[in-house]
Amino acid sequence: MKSNIGTINALIRITCGLTVLSWTTADWSRSRHRNTHLICTVLGAMKVAEGITRFCPITKWVTESMPNKNNHSSQESQNTPEYHNTNEQ
């Protein structure tokens, strides 16, 4: 697994993930009847894991689904007709 997020981004993900994780577990201990606590706990844990491994599957999916600018421009240049100046002698 190749890392696809930077160090600062990873530290922000770990900090935010631990904050969400601690808030949801503290709130979940007072009221266990809500499913939103479980969802937020899983999302917070996922952000911590992304920060530790420095790999985000959503970032990888987005960057792979976007067309490569280098390949795109070379395809455009191949499909663009060449115009010659007819006024030149």
Side-chain angles (χ1 to χ4, degrees):
M1 215 172 18
K2 186 178 177 183
S3 63
N4 61 356
I5 60 173
T7 306
I8 302 297
N9 194 342
L11 292 174
I12 291 171
R13 287 174 192 253
I14 291 171
T15 304
C16 292
L18 287 175
T19 302
V20 169
L21 195 59
S22 62
W23 172 73
T24 55
T25 53
D27 202 25
W28 184 61
S29 65
R30 287 182 283 196
S31 60
R32 294 182 183 238
H33 62 277
R34 294 186 193 168
N35 287 335
T36 57
H37 295 345
L38 180 63
I39 293 170
C40 289
T41 303
V42 169
L43 291 176
M46 186 176 68
K47 288 298 161 190
V48 172
E50 288 174 0
I52 291 172
T53 60
R54 292 183 58 195
F55 177 78
C56 179
I58 295 174
T59 303
K60 182 178 179 183
W61 175 68
V62 168
T63 55
E64 286 181 354
S65 66
M66 295 177 67
N68 191 354
K69 291 182 180 181
N70 294 334
N71 292 339
H72 186 64
S73 62
S74 65
Q75 288 176 352
E76 284 180 358
S77 64
Q78 291 174 359
N79 294 333
T80 305
E82 293 183 22
Y83 294 102
H84 300 287
N85 190 355
T86 56
N87 295 331
E88 291 181 3
Q89 292 182 357

